[in-house]
Amino acid sequence: QVQLVESGGGLVQAGGSLRLSCAASGSILVIYDMNWYRQAPGKQRELVALITSSGSTNYADSVKGRFTISRDNAKNTMYLQMNSLKPEDTAVYYCNAKVMTMRFTTNDYWGQGTQVTVSS
């Protein structure tokens, strides 16, 4: 079994910053791509940022220049530094990872989500 646990969400004023973390644990052999998604009320879940195992990154246009994704492979942890936050960034943020387990099976795993609320 593999678990992903997010932390770092909260309430912040517009223009502020937050740093999200996603820690992976369990029967992990390899973690491939890791992603941050978000889902606002009444909207579909959307990809915010991704980072490959080699460190290549990509961002949604709406967060480019404000958000930075990173990972610490030694700690099996991914981060999302969010700066210049806007009210439209309010959502539940989920981490997602493709993981090969010790049983040599590869699956997608999701965290439980962490709420980010940006007040105007």
Side-chain angles (χ1 to χ4, degrees), residues 7-99:
S7 61
L11 173 64
V12 65
Q13 288 189 330
S17 298
L18 283 174
R19 188 191 194 210
L20 305 183
S21 299
C22 171
S25 63
S27 181
I28 297 169
L29 186 60
V30 179
I31 301 179
Y32 298 107
D33 293 357
M34 301 185 79
N35 311 290
W36 285 102
Y37 283 80
R38 68 185 181 187
Q39 187 166 20
K43 294 188 177 181
Q44 288 190 330
R45 190 172 296 191
E46 63 172 349
L47 179 63
V48 175
L50 68 87
I51 184 165
T52 67
S53 55
S54 60
S56 296
T57 61
N58 204 359
Y59 299 90
D61 287 343
S62 59
V63 307
K64 278 181 183 175
R66 301 187 298 121
F67 291 9
T68 303
I69 189 172
S70 61
R71 63 191 285 174
D72 184 336
N73 291 329
K75 296 181 179 179
N76 288 339
T77 300
M78 173 177 64
Y79 306 96
L80 186 68
Q81 178 66 42
M82 304 185 295
N83 298 328
S84 302
L85 283 161
K86 304 175 181 180
E88 51 263 43
D89 294 318
T90 295
V92 178
Y93 283 70
Y94 298 91
C95 68
N96 164 262
K98 179 176 287 187
V99 178

